[in-house]
Amino acid sequence: MTEKMLKFVSLEKKMPPKRAADNRRQDFNEIYDEFDQDRAKEQASRCSQCGIPFCQVHCPVQNNIPDWLMMTAAGRLEEAYEVSQATNNFPEICGRICPQDRLCEGSCVIEKGFNSVTIGAVEKYITDTAWENGWVKPTKPVVEREQSVGVIGAGPGGLAAADQLRKKGYQVHVYDRYDRAGGLMIYGIPGFKLEKEVVERRSRLLQDSGITFHLNFEVGRDATLAELRERHDAIVIATGVYKSRDIAVPGSGLGGIVPALEYLTASNRKGLGDDVPAFEDGTLNATGKNVVVIGGGDTAMDCVRTAVRQGAKSVKCLYRRDRKNMPGSLREVVNAEEEGVEFVWLSAPKAFLGDTSVTSVRAIDMHLGIPDSTGRQVPVEIDGSEHDIPCDLAIKALGFDAEDIPTLFNEPKLDVSRWGTISVNFKTAMTNLDGVFAVGDIVRGASLVVWAIRDGRDAAASVHQYLEKRAASEKRALAS
């Protein structure tokens, strides 16, 4: 039965059923169940089909959201999938991990008083249904081209670029230093947000499409950037940023103080069945410990919720601003609170205490002062408010910076910005090296998966234009 649209006036917003907190604390499975067909059609029918779809405007990949919502409401799911995947290489992943409350759903015009359309959950339902019904198929290019492109990095930006270039018929080779494709989608994001089979299924599809993966391959060790340029007609760098930001307070060198990515990677590797000595010996394992996570972004939310599932004695999140001003998804904060995480708002670490390993964090209360040049209120310490928080494992989730790029790639001629990221022409995504492009976090700094996908798609279009022009130039040279 086809659902009529504009039902937001009579139908409440509903997410798919969420597993009880006591139940989901016991494993790393995703916390939301699937919509059934009737619920997905009902929720899709709440869309107002507005003339200017702000949900689409504020989606980094410009998804045609009203169109595939209308098709879902009409039961035309295969068409809905075709529209959804036309602008997004990984809609089943974005449906799970995008902070919709800050992007499409947060921009929905019916949000005021009625609550926004459940966009992310419907997107996930559409694509999971497509996989179940065999509608998702490997790419078969109309024409095979002799030109090859090397993509460095098998994260979302690199894989999106590789997928788009393969659709054009290029011979695509993806190089990654890890033993699995997916980057942070495999090793950084916990399974309760993104089960690993979802990523591995997509990687297998790309391989079946004719993309060649070179895993456990580190540029700078197994080949220099210059050597890869000799092998390929163009290069796309999409390595992401992995260098954790540190905090300069007394006691930072004590044992039991670890970067967020090391902690999350150990947990994800353990879940994938790998041998992880640092997990087994307790170095990167929260079991039975008082855990303090420092930071307020999505990575901090991943850490606190992982610690809960590992059986931590207590889990606290220290953030120097308040709930309203935190950068992470508020939906994730609610999930964490349900699972037993305590948020210590307006609090920042002053020192780590202990002899050889951390035993407590000395924190100080903050208040929000006048806004800075960005418009955000500046946190200011409250004198005399220091207090100690018991801590056996402190996790620093303060963001990520780029590594020393020229040294990493053994290419001193590659230009970098003053932030340490790769400098590019923002119209073409090309670096100062001819035929070398860069996308994602390695250019824009630590950001969202969906932005990396957008960058990868844009760079693939620029690579195609570059190679077409070069082929035409070579053809004219031969003719003359």
Side-chain angles (χ1 to χ4, degrees):
M1 171 179 149
T2 300
E3 296 283 349
K4 294 181 180 180
M5 304 303 290
L6 281 78
K7 284 194 172 181
F8 65 90
V9 294
S10 58
L11 195 66
E12 289 186 357
K13 174 181 179 176
K14 285 188 179 179
M15 290 288 288
K18 184 162 56 172
R19 297 164 58 208
D22 287 344
N23 176 271
R24 64 185 195 245
R25 284 165 56 104
Q26 309 305 316
D27 58 49
F28 281 82
N29 298 332
E30 292 180 9
I31 72 170
Y32 286 100
D33 293 330
E34 290 279 357
F35 269 141
D36 60 32
Q37 183 175 356
D38 290 341
R39 298 292 82 73
K41 289 171 68 174
E42 283 181 356
Q43 289 301 306
S45 73
R46 296 184 69 248
C47 177
S48 68
Q49 296 289 294
C50 55
I52 301 177
F54 287 101
C55 57
Q56 179 175 347
V57 171
H58 290 273
C59 171
V61 292
Q62 303 290 281
N63 275 334
N64 297 312
I65 295 168
D67 289 349
W68 50 254
L69 286 172
M70 178 181 65
M71 291 171 182
T72 301
R76 296 156 53 190
L77 286 181
E78 187 169 2
E79 293 172 83
Y81 165 70
E82 291 296 336
V83 173
S84 174
Q85 64 86 37
T87 54
N88 188 350
N89 301 79
F90 316 122
E92 73 278 23
I93 292 173
C94 288
R96 286 169 162 85
I97 65 173
C98 265
Q100 288 96 6
D101 53 338
R102 301 205 312 257
L103 297 172
C104 54
E105 293 182 16
S107 304
C108 180
V109 299
I110 67 170
E111 183 175 20
K112 190 72 172 176
F114 290 99
N115 289 320
S116 61
V117 178
T118 318
I119 296 169
V122 173
E123 180 179 39
K124 173 177 176 282
Y125 166 77
I126 291 169
T127 318
D128 285 354
T129 302
W131 280 99
E132 291 165 7
N133 286 280
W135 303 335
V136 187
K137 299 184 186 299
T139 293
K140 291 183 179 179
V142 176
V143 60
E144 290 286 352
R145 303 173 190 267
E146 293 182 359
Q147 295 150 303
S148 72
V149 181
V151 178
I152 305 171
L159 294 182
D163 189 23
Q164 292 299 105
L165 289 163
R166 184 63 194 132
K167 288 173 181 175
K168 294 288 187 182
Y170 292 103
Q171 309 309 307
V172 181
H173 293 254
V174 177
Y175 301 88
D176 196 272
R177 60 182 170 181
Y178 290 108
D179 55 348
R180 298 177 179 88
L184 288 180
M185 296 186 295
I186 283 285
Y187 293 116
I189 299 173
F192 51 78
K193 287 172 64 177
L194 177 61
E195 291 178 0
K196 302 312 163 190
E197 170 56 23
V198 175
V199 183
E200 291 172 333
R201 176 179 64 183
R202 181 62 70 168
S203 298
R204 289 194 297 269
L205 184 81
L206 296 177
Q207 194 166 9
D208 292 343
S209 298
I211 295 171
T212 303
F213 286 90
H214 305 267
L215 302 177
N216 292 310
F217 188 106
E218 188 169 330
V219 179
R221 181 193 67 191
D222 299 299
T224 65
L225 180 58
E227 289 170 337
L228 288 184
R229 292 179 72 192
E230 289 292 323
R231 295 183 197 177
H232 301 288
D233 297 286
I235 295 289
V236 178
I237 301 173
T239 52
V241 291
Y242 290 91
K243 182 180 177 183
S244 296
R245 291 178 188 155
D246 213 339
I247 181 169
V249 297
S252 294
L254 290 171
I257 304 171
V258 301
L261 189 55
E262 286 186 22
Y263 173 70
L264 293 172
T265 298
S267 178
N268 281 314
R269 280 195 176 279
K270 181 67 177 175
L272 287 162
D274 293 352
D275 181 28
V276 188
F279 184 92
E280 302 299 344
D281 67 17
T283 305
L284 295 173
N285 186 345
T287 304
K289 296 179 180 178
N290 293 308
V291 177
V292 175
V293 177
I294 301 163
D298 291 331
T299 301
M301 299 305 100
D302 293 344
C303 290
V304 295
R305 298 182 66 203
T306 295
V308 164
R309 284 159 175 78
Q310 289 179 351
K313 184 178 179 181
S314 68
V315 183
K316 292 182 172 65
C317 181
L318 263 62
Y319 182 56
R320 60 181 184 161
R321 290 186 168 90
D322 58 13
R323 185 189 196 99
K324 185 175 67 174
N325 286 282
M326 74 172 298
S329 168
L330 292 178
R331 187 178 293 169
E332 286 297 295
V333 174
V334 171
N335 290 333
E337 288 176 328
E338 290 174 352
E339 293 163 6
V341 175
E342 180 184 345
F343 285 86
V344 186
W345 306 110
L346 293 166
S347 186
K350 287 288 287 183
F352 296 104
L353 307 179
D355 293 327
T356 58
S357 292
V358 65
T359 56
S360 61
V361 177
R362 177 153 294 168
I364 188 167
D365 293 339
M366 315 286 284
H367 72 88
L368 296 180
I370 62 173
D372 61 14
S373 59
T374 67
R376 296 186 79 191
Q377 288 178 279
V378 177
V380 180
E381 295 181 357
I382 299 175
D383 292 337
S385 65
E386 291 91 344
H387 55 283
D388 294 345
I389 301 173
C391 175
D392 307 307
L393 177 63
I395 302 172
K396 298 176 291 186
L398 302 165
F400 304 97
D401 291 319
E403 301 174 64
D404 186 350
I405 302 297
T407 301
L408 185 67
F409 293 148
N410 195 16
E411 181 49 81
K413 294 181 181 178
L414 183 63
D415 282 351
V416 297
S417 71
R418 61 191 177 97
W419 298 281
T421 54
I422 296 178
S423 293
V424 299
N425 178 323
F426 285 101
K427 290 184 178 180
T428 64
M430 191 187 291
T431 69
N432 64 302
L433 303 178
D434 185 56
V436 178
F437 301 76
V439 303
D441 291 1
I442 199 65
V443 174
R444 66 167 64 241
S447 188
L448 301 173
V449 164
V450 68
W451 275 114
I453 294 170
R454 168 64 185 268
D455 292 347
R457 293 174 64 89
D458 288 349
S462 293
V463 170
H464 174 59
Q465 187 177 39
Y466 166 81
L467 291 177
E468 288 277 87
K469 285 183 178 178
R470 196 171 81 173
S473 178
E474 289 172 353
K475 189 174 181 180
R476 285 194 301 271
L478 286 173
S480 60

